[in-house]
Amino acid sequence: MNRQSELIPQNPKLEILTLTILGIETSCDETSAAVVKDGALLSNVTATQLFHSEYGGVVPELASRAHQRRIVPIVDEALTQAGIAKHDLDAMSAVYGPGLVGAILVGLSFGKSMALGLGIPFVGINHMEAHIFSNLIEDPKPGYPFVNLTVSGGHTQLVLVRNAFDYQILGETKDDAAGEAFDKVAKMLGIGYPGGPMIDQYASKGNPAFVNFPRPYLEEGSLEFSFSGLKTSVLYYLRKIGYQTTAWRVKSANRDGYEEFLSDICASFQAAVVDVLVEKTMRAAKEHKVKDIALAGGVAANSELRRRLKESADSLGYRVFIPRFEFCTDNGAMVATVGYMKMKEGRTSSLELTAEPSLELK
Ligand code: KG4
Ligand code: ZN
């Protein structure tokens, strides 16, 4: 299209010939940028802030400062890998919520400034909507309507995706998000942050029937989630057996025994979370008579959840869509993909748009 984009705000659903858009994601601890041209992903560059592990969780102020240091090289690298110059861009997009306000502001301000400097439109993106689009980046893609389960560090959401930009939230967590529960249990066990990948690793060698932790299904037929009770059960169990991270480790002179114990606890906890997530997703698919199911968010990287969701979906005749690992955790590709679709619909944002840390999916 090139420069035709200026017409888009006044011409909804304008037939766009060609469109190149850059997407930025900085809502938590990943600085990521990606380029999408005519619906095809040309690049996706992500820097994860590993230093938060020292503090046992994301430190918001440090996250913002790291985004500030990294945003220029990450955007440059995304353009280089896409083989384009910034003047080839027809539009900019960036996440404006939900997430950490200071972290969002870095990517959002950068995206808006680039749009202003280049004289191209800007599209503000909802982080949760972007996760849903992580299954629409590449083929094969789910067909509408589909049920999407987004499981991340901050959210657990079952969504009926009727069409692009047409969502019905079927269930959400009432307390901890699935990823948060993984992170908190890993912290109790003293195995590092982020906890999800560590628990996943230990669990792969463990016995899921070692402890029968409660499955929080809530009331009959509910599509809501609650993981704080399960997390507390793990805590009580560890207290009961006198587990104190270092003390227990020192006491148990047998290192192999300790590793085996950790694997069994992780596998038992993970099995409880996965049982609930899979069961409710299948229930939602059945109730809403969809053919396709999609999984998104950081916890979608969990190997047992991927395996079990696929197994259940296959046995019940649903098609299941799970993003590649690089599109599970926060990434620019999902942002640029929504941005591209919004541009095609003429849905641009004002440059007055500001960060909304508690932005909801509507
Ligand atoms: O979507 P995401 O990158 O950031 C948010 O928007 O929150 O998700 C991060 C979450 C963390 O809680 C992390 O522990 C979890 O995803 N996670 C996993 C795995 N990899 C990342 N949880 C379980 N198993 C994994 N393999
Ligand atoms: Zn996310």
Side-chain angles (χ1 to χ4, degrees):
M1 139 185 107
N2 293 335
R3 302 309 134 227
Q4 226 179 10
S5 51
E6 278 135 47
L7 299 173
I8 286 172
Q10 294 81 38
N11 292 276
K13 301 214 177 202
L14 184 77
E15 208 37 59
I16 294 174
L17 301 177
T18 170
L19 168 70
T20 308
I21 185 165
L22 189 127
I24 298 176
E25 156 66 55
T26 61
S27 62
C28 190
D29 57 349
E30 261 100 18
T31 317
S32 188
V35 175
V36 164
K37 180 175 185 184
D38 304 334
L41 181 69
L42 299 188
S43 64
N44 180 47
V45 182
T46 304
T48 302
Q49 303 174 2
L50 298 171
F51 60 82
H52 294 290
S53 61
E54 274 178 51
Y55 307 93
V58 175
V59 184
E61 177 59 25
L62 298 183
S64 315
R65 284 196 225 160
H67 286 309
Q68 274 170 349
R69 284 195 303 277
R70 289 174 180 173
I71 189 77
V72 173
I74 289 287
V75 166
D76 269 348
E77 186 58 24
L79 291 170
T80 305
Q81 286 190 16
I84 62 159
K86 56 181 182 297
H87 291 285
D88 297 326
L89 291 170
D90 299 304
M92 289 296 302
S93 56
V95 162
Y96 73 106
L100 301 170
V101 65
I104 296 169
L105 276 172
V106 177
L108 177 62
S109 312
F110 193 88
K112 289 195 299 184
S113 310
M114 247 179 104
L116 187 66
L118 294 168
I120 56 178
F122 174 77
V123 196
I125 306 293
N126 181 317
H127 176 179
M128 302 318 292
E129 184 172 28
H131 273 302
I132 293 174
F133 274 74
S134 60
N135 279 295
L136 298 162
I137 298 171
E138 299 177 312
D139 287 327
K141 297 172 183 154
Y144 301 112
F146 64 91
V147 159
N148 180 89
L149 172 69
T150 303
V151 267
S152 70
H155 290 80
T156 302
Q157 262 180 0
L158 256 178
V159 183
L160 176 66
V161 184
R162 294 199 198 94
N163 223 317
F165 322 130
D166 183 2
Y167 313 106
Q168 181 187 341
I169 296 188
L170 305 175
E172 283 187 281
T173 184
K174 292 170 181 269
D175 39 57
D176 291 355
E180 197 178 350
F182 269 94
D183 294 337
K184 286 179 176 167
V185 166
K187 200 168 184 175
M188 288 175 208
L189 292 167
I191 56 174
Y193 179 88
M198 298 305 297
I199 290 188
D200 195 350
Q201 249 181 45
Y202 275 111
S204 66
K205 292 166 272 165
N207 170 14
F210 183 67
V211 188
N212 186 20
F213 288 123
R215 272 65 175 156
Y217 287 109
L218 307 175
E219 65 279 12
E220 181 74 20
S222 168
L223 294 175
E224 306 286 336
F225 299 92
S226 162
F227 291 110
S228 95
L230 168 60
K231 175 195 70 188
T232 309
S233 299
V234 178
L235 179 68
Y236 286 169
Y237 177 81
L238 294 178
R239 273 196 197 150
K240 195 177 80 191
I241 62 158
Y243 180 96
Q244 277 154 345
T245 314
T246 37
W248 206 88
R249 210 176 301 176
V250 174
K251 250 195 268 167
S252 107
N254 173 359
R255 181 82 206 164
D256 287 347
Y258 176 69
E259 294 280 312
E260 198 182 310
F261 171 79
L262 271 186
S263 299
D264 289 343
I265 294 287
C266 289
S268 302
F269 162 74
Q270 183 177 275
V273 176
V274 170
D275 274 356
V276 174
L277 293 175
V278 171
E279 160 82 26
K280 296 204 177 212
T281 306
M282 295 303 144
R283 196 183 288 168
K286 187 172 172 216
E287 266 173 34
H288 293 276
K289 300 184 177 54
V290 299
K291 293 197 179 75
D292 292 354
I293 290 172
L295 180 65
V299 184
N302 185 269
S303 48
E304 184 64 3
L305 177 59
R306 294 167 86 94
R307 188 186 71 73
R308 289 271 315 282
L309 193 71
K310 187 160 178 356
E311 187 181 83
S312 292
D314 285 351
S315 73
L316 294 168
Y318 298 110
R319 295 199 305 168
V320 69
F321 296 82
I322 304 178
R324 277 203 268 149
F325 286 113
E326 67 175 297
F327 304 141
C328 289
T329 41
D330 292 342
N331 64 87
M334 63 186 190
V335 178
T337 302
V338 194
Y340 173 78
M341 306 265 288
K342 293 214 157 172
M343 276 299 296
K344 283 212 320 188
E345 298 259 324
R347 296 170 181 242
T348 56
S349 310
S350 152
L351 291 179
E352 311 267 299
L353 187 73
T354 190
E356 288 191 39
S358 308
L359 183 66
E360 295 197 353
L361 183 70
K362 290 199 189 93

